[in-house]
Amino acid sequence: MDRDLDALAIDPDIERAQTLPGWVYDDPAWFARLVERVFPQTWHLYPLDAMPRAQGEQVPWSLLPGALDEPLLLTHDGAALRCVSNVCTHRGFVMVEQPSSAGGIRCRYHGRRFGLDGTLCSAPGFETSPDFPRDCDHLHAAQLHRWRELTFVNFSGGAAFEAWFRPVAQRLDAVVPQSMSFDPAGSPHYEMNANWALYCDNYLEGFHIPYVHPGLNAALDWSVYRTELFAGGSFQIASAKPDEPAFSLPKSHPDHGLRVAAYYAWLFPCTMINVYPWGMSVNIVLPQGTRRTKVVYRRYVWDASTLERGAGAGLDAVEYEDEAVVEACARGVRSRAYQAGRYAPEHERGVHHFHRILVAASRAPA
Ligand code: FES
Ligand SMILES: [Fe+2]
């Protein structure tokens, strides 16, 4: 069915608004629009362990595999990390297939060489070509930013990193130390039969916690669960029951006085940063077409003494509980009987906000 994608709108008044219609979660044209207009212009987390740390090291990777499949190269030029296209500007050869410490970037097809920042250094066969090199003969450079152990990349513009990330930094800089250990054992990958946006919808409300997560629910003081919105995402702040682990927050912190058990930060579109007294667990959501989603977990620990206690315990079980409900919604929103729902105004502000950001972003020029 041909649908008018530009006609999609979410009422700003949450009490009156209807949710995204069911078809949005299963429409190839809508997904193609996100791939064209939204995902290339938003910030995404680098999902791999391999990290260039010394001059000349380079790691090939794919941005949003399954959706963008954009071949990129993370490099270290001695001073800083950089992210450039891994696609040769001559005939489109993907140049680097394995991590290496080769120094500059060399295309094996016809011998072009590029610097680690993407500058074209030499191009055999083009010595007499007029108007060469043009700007587009250098490698495309993506924007890159680091926060703690996380590396964010934006392929082509959109919001400036500082503005997008500021609300998260303001809240988390004081609770996330500079130094932490990556925990490979706590960093599994998951896959489910559901649209990526359904996974986000579910993440963005604590409304389901008492119904779906009995273990997590037992650790939380449900009476003080908060959701706060900001331009590029939202925070959910969960408070601990009296004997459960909580942050000790300095007087200057906006949440001083609360016994915070967990911060759940979501950044549009695919980044989730969960911070507990023991450390941080990051979910990188990777849309795989309309009906499948991969989630890469990355866990970083700074206080192992509270690991597997409180809100940050048993994350694997919580993930499976979430996947089960998300997959059931994926089947349900395709029903001929389902059109769209309404938002519970007290509990689903995060979901409403996501839908509004998504619809606005989908209208960006292609
Ligand atoms: S494709 Fe790279 S030099 Fe020809
Ligand atoms: Fe959940």
Side-chain angles (χ1 to χ4, degrees):
M1 185 196 300
D2 276 345
R3 295 190 170 95
D4 180 1
L5 302 184
D6 287 315
L8 197 58
I10 302 289
D11 193 320
D13 178 352
I14 190 171
E15 299 205 344
R16 296 181 182 283
Q18 293 206 83
T19 62
L20 286 173
W23 62 260
V24 161
Y25 301 99
D26 198 39
D27 187 276
W30 173 258
F31 189 77
R33 171 179 281 228
L34 302 183
V35 168
E36 191 181 359
R37 303 188 187 194
V38 177
F39 297 144
Q41 300 181 29
T42 44
W43 290 92
H44 299 280
L45 274 173
Y46 175 70
L48 305 182
D49 297 347
M51 180 61 71
R53 298 199 185 269
Q55 154 84 23
E57 290 185 354
Q58 40 196 273
V59 177
W61 64 293
S62 175
L63 181 62
L64 227 55
L68 290 180
D69 293 305
E70 184 61 51
L72 294 177
L73 201 50
L74 210 55
T75 69
H76 203 297
D77 68 4
L81 271 180
R82 294 181 184 273
C83 184
V84 296
S85 172
N86 192 8
V87 176
C88 182
T89 51
H90 176 216
R91 294 249 304 280
F93 188 74
V94 173
M95 297 180 287
V96 181
E97 300 282 5
Q98 296 294 332
S100 89
S101 48
I105 304 161
R106 189 178 76 88
C107 180
R108 292 182 290 113
Y109 198 178
H110 313 96
R112 269 190 195 194
R113 288 179 183 275
F114 300 89
L116 294 161
D117 62 353
T119 307
L120 180 68
C121 300
S122 68
F126 291 80
E127 292 77 5
T128 59
S129 300
D131 185 27
F132 185 88
R134 304 157 302 169
D135 283 352
C136 60
D137 293 311
H138 304 288
L139 298 178
H140 173 83
Q143 300 176 72
L144 177 148
H145 267 273
R146 296 265 297 162
W147 181 78
R148 304 300 194 257
E149 288 299 308
L150 308 181
T151 304
F152 294 89
V153 168
N154 185 322
F155 185 73
S156 64
F161 181 83
E162 287 78 7
W164 178 74
F165 197 72
R166 188 178 300 122
V168 179
Q170 281 170 345
R171 206 146 215 144
L172 296 186
D173 273 357
V175 296
V176 177
Q178 295 288 347
S179 156
M180 58 188 81
S181 312
F182 177 63
D183 173 15
S187 302
H189 296 191
Y190 300 93
E191 288 202 41
M192 72 204 83
N193 292 317
N195 185 277
W196 72 280
L198 286 171
Y199 185 81
C200 293
D201 289 353
N202 175 69
Y203 179 88
L204 289 169
E205 45 91 357
F207 193 21
H208 68 274
I209 293 174
Y211 304 102
V212 175
H213 305 301
L216 173 58
N217 192 46
L220 296 183
D221 177 356
W222 181 243
S223 64
V224 280
Y225 198 91
R226 289 188 188 173
T227 300
E228 293 193 9
L229 312 180
F230 52 90
S234 62
F235 261 112
Q236 292 170 82
I237 302 162
S239 289
K241 288 230 173 98
D243 293 331
E244 301 291 348
F247 289 100
S248 14
L249 297 168
K251 272 213 171 79
S252 54
H253 196 275
D255 304 321
H256 178 73
L258 278 184
R259 294 195 74 252
V260 174
Y263 286 103
Y264 303 111
W266 165 77
L267 286 147
F268 178 76
C270 294
T271 299
M272 299 163 177
I273 303 174
N274 312 294
V275 181
Y276 308 101
W278 55 258
M280 174 165 81
S281 169
V282 174
N283 312 7
I284 306 172
V285 181
L286 300 175
Q288 309 287 298
T290 56
R291 293 192 176 187
R292 199 153 171 85
T293 299
K294 225 185 241 185
V295 182
V296 172
Y297 264 54
R298 295 185 65 76
R299 181 157 90 171
Y300 303 86
V301 179
W302 55 77
D303 176 10
S305 70
T306 56
L307 200 60
E308 292 308 322
R309 286 181 53 210
L315 296 184
D316 209 45
V318 172
E319 176 66 24
Y320 286 123
E321 289 160 359
D322 281 324
E323 283 181 21
V325 291
V326 168
E327 288 191 337
C329 285
R331 286 183 282 123
V333 293
R334 298 201 285 268
S335 158
R336 285 146 201 85
Y338 182 80
Q339 303 301 320
R342 299 281 294 271
Y343 301 97
E346 285 294 305
H347 305 292
E348 293 180 311
R349 291 168 60 235
V351 186
H352 178 243
H353 187 53
F354 166 43
H355 292 176
R356 289 185 33 84
I357 299 176
L358 182 65
V359 169
S362 76
R363 298 215 175 109

